[in-house]
Amino acid sequence: SSRGGKPLPPPVRYRTSFCTSVLLHIMMAVRFIALLLSSLLPALRGLSVSLASRTEELLSELGPTPAGQDDAKVWLGFDDNHQKGVLPDDFHGPPPPPIEAELMVSKEGVNIMDTKKPHVQLLGMYDTGTNLLRALLEKNFPGAFHIYDNYPASPDFWEKVDDKACMATAYVRSSWFDTSTKGGLCSMWKHANLDIMKQRAPERLGEFQRIGAVGFAVVRNPLPWLQSVRKHSYELEDLNDFKTTDWLRKPVRFPQELHGGQPEVSFTDMEDIWSNWTKSYEHLGDYGFDRNLLVRYEDLVLDTAKVLDQVVQAVGIAPLSGHIKQVQIPAKEHGGSLGHSAALEKIRTRSYRSNFTDAELADACSRLDVELMRRHGYDDCDGVVSA
């Protein structure tokens, strides 16, 4: 045929023939698959019946299906005495054998945990420089310590508070040493009050003593510390209002979960908190830290090399070779913390004093333990009140 005296182009006839061929091949493939499935169906039915039968046999061996959580423990083979049967959700693999407290030390008196790396528990109230100390340790002594600070505070700590070998058991469960708690659910919240911990968690302090943990505590000049906590009060914020004019004289309440529930922990005022925590850090040996180091935040900033030398002596590791690695940027992202240069300037100029009115400065100094301040080289209240 033709159109206007011209023949139709051959590609049209070729495309029609090609499409028809493809369609025929698809139909043949579908028919083949259908025949294959029909031949396999009896075998699949037999396998399904076999699996169902075996499942029924296993269930009958286990007994009746559990009606609740307690029945489920028995059904799975965990009785009430099998405490190690309850594992973290992210734990994979068989549970480690139970480790009793007395088994943490071998017959030769050597601790079965990693003796090559010292165990260090960081301690210090909010905004005293604990993050800066950790950053300096990790930067200048990478991989040299097991560092614990359990921040933010984990409620799981109090579930393990009576476990005499919590740390030894968790040591072989790497999932318990995750980055969110920076050291493990058995370690202590770094901001915790040591007297409260001694009353409510003696086993935790006892285990730190058994594994030879070194306590590193940080204190700070109370006047800039008071202003820092007023600016950002962290977990205290929901129960306390530090924006009022009487903020230096108000009682301070702690959320119950931070210290294991009732009774609630509270203090007379912010100044009382500084004095209480600082006095505890003067006697870290009374809380199980036979080896310990008390560090001033100001020395961390002004004389970092000296503090790191003290760390070497306290822990018993090789001294630094070469220059120290300073932390120039803020050691934490929260709380409006300062970098190294700004922190230096604030300490040297005592610019923090301008944030107090004359009445507030006199009020704070009258409530602080001035003699305790002097023992740590803080003289801002000298001349303001007489000790």
Side-chain angles (χ1 to χ4, degrees):
S1 60
S2 63
R3 181 182 299 165
K6 297 180 180 180
L8 291 174
V12 174
R13 291 195 300 271
Y14 175 76
R15 286 197 297 267
T16 303
S17 175
F18 176 77
C19 291
T20 302
S21 176
V22 170
L23 181 60
L24 288 173
H25 279 81
I26 292 174
M27 293 175 63
M28 291 175 64
V30 170
R31 183 179 180 186
F32 174 77
I33 293 173
L35 290 172
L36 180 63
L37 289 176
S38 64
S39 64
L40 291 176
L41 189 58
L44 292 174
R45 286 176 178 171
L47 179 61
S48 176
V49 171
S50 176
L51 289 173
S53 176
R54 181 56 181 156
T55 302
E56 289 294 332
E57 292 176 6
L58 292 173
L59 290 175
S60 64
E61 292 175 5
L62 286 172
T65 303
Q69 183 177 358
D70 293 335
D71 291 338
K73 292 180 182 178
V74 177
W75 197 61
L76 293 171
F78 297 143
D79 54 31
D80 291 338
N81 296 323
H82 194 78
Q83 297 179 0
K84 299 297 184 272
V86 182
L87 299 175
D89 293 337
D90 58 346
F91 178 80
H92 300 287
I99 301 177
E100 300 298 333
E102 57 269 24
L103 297 181
M104 292 177 60
V105 178
S106 68
K107 293 180 180 179
E108 294 76 22
V110 179
N111 196 292
I112 65 172
M113 296 176 67
D114 187 353
T115 55
K116 296 180 181 179
K117 289 186 179 182
H119 301 268
V120 172
Q121 170 70 49
L122 299 186
L123 302 161
M125 230 305 162
Y126 302 119
D127 291 335
T128 56
T130 54
N131 285 298
L132 175 58
L133 176 57
R134 183 180 183 114
L136 285 168
L137 293 179
E138 292 177 338
K139 198 167 186 178
N140 290 275
F141 307 100
F145 310 104
H146 295 298
I147 303 178
Y148 311 123
D149 58 12
N150 203 346
Y151 185 82
S154 172
D156 294 331
F157 171 89
W158 294 100
E159 296 177 6
K160 304 173 180 61
V161 71
D162 294 324
D163 189 341
K164 295 182 179 180
C166 182
M167 190 72 72
T169 306
Y171 188 75
V172 294
R173 297 174 179 173
S174 59
S175 60
W176 285 17
F177 284 82
D178 61 336
T179 55
S180 65
T181 58
K182 296 183 181 177
L185 300 181
C186 305
S187 66
M188 190 165 56
W189 180 47
K190 64 180 179 180
H191 302 315
N193 179 273
L194 286 179
D195 290 321
I196 300 298
M197 297 301 292
K198 193 171 184 177
Q199 295 171 8
R200 302 184 183 182
E203 291 295 349
R204 294 281 57 73
L205 295 179
E207 188 172 25
F208 274 124
Q209 188 172 38
R210 288 192 292 272
I211 67 175
V214 185
F216 284 177
V218 189
V219 298
R220 184 184 181 187
N221 186 325
L223 293 186
W225 175 78
L226 286 168
Q227 290 290 347
S228 293
V229 177
R230 187 189 193 193
K231 179 176 64 176
H232 194 99
S233 48
Y234 306 94
E235 288 92 348
L236 302 181
E237 196 167 49
D238 292 339
L239 298 179
N240 305 274
D241 182 7
F242 299 115
K243 306 302 181 184
T244 60
T245 56
D246 61 344
W247 65 284
L248 292 168
R249 301 187 298 274
K250 297 173 69 172
V252 181
R253 299 167 56 199
F254 279 77
Q256 292 182 15
E257 61 270 17
L258 298 181
H259 289 98
Q262 293 283 2
E264 182 182 90
V265 176
S266 60
F267 290 85
T268 305
D269 46 42
M270 289 291 294
E271 297 89 336
D272 184 31
I273 289 178
W274 184 87
S275 298
N276 187 290
W277 263 251
T278 303
K279 287 177 181 177
S280 297
Y281 296 154
E282 289 183 329
H283 305 282
L284 286 172
D286 295 342
Y287 303 94
F289 298 103
D290 296 330
R291 290 187 297 164
N292 56 74
L293 177 64
L294 179 57
V295 176
R296 296 193 329 157
Y297 164 74
E298 292 76 17
D299 293 329
L300 270 179
V301 176
L302 297 173
D303 197 351
T304 308
K306 177 183 176 181
V307 173
L308 294 183
D309 283 342
Q310 292 173 340
V311 167
V312 168
Q313 296 297 320
V315 181
I317 59 175
L320 282 172
S321 58
H323 298 290
I324 65 169
K325 297 177 182 177
Q326 188 58 260
V327 177
Q328 299 294 345
I329 62 174
K332 61 181 180 180
E333 298 178 356
H334 52 279
S337 56
L338 303 176
H340 186 250
S341 298
L344 275 172
E345 183 69 13
K346 185 174 183 178
I347 294 170
R348 287 172 174 167
T349 63
R350 303 194 185 202
S351 59
Y352 50 83
R353 293 188 60 149
S354 64
N355 294 322
F356 292 92
T357 65
D358 291 341
E360 285 179 332
L361 182 61
D363 200 1
C365 288
S366 68
R367 295 171 180 274
L368 285 166
D369 186 331
V370 178
E371 181 55 38
L372 181 62
M373 291 178 62
R374 289 173 181 160
R375 285 207 299 269
H376 294 280
Y378 302 130
D379 59 4
D380 285 284
C381 287
D382 289 359
V384 179
V385 294
S386 57

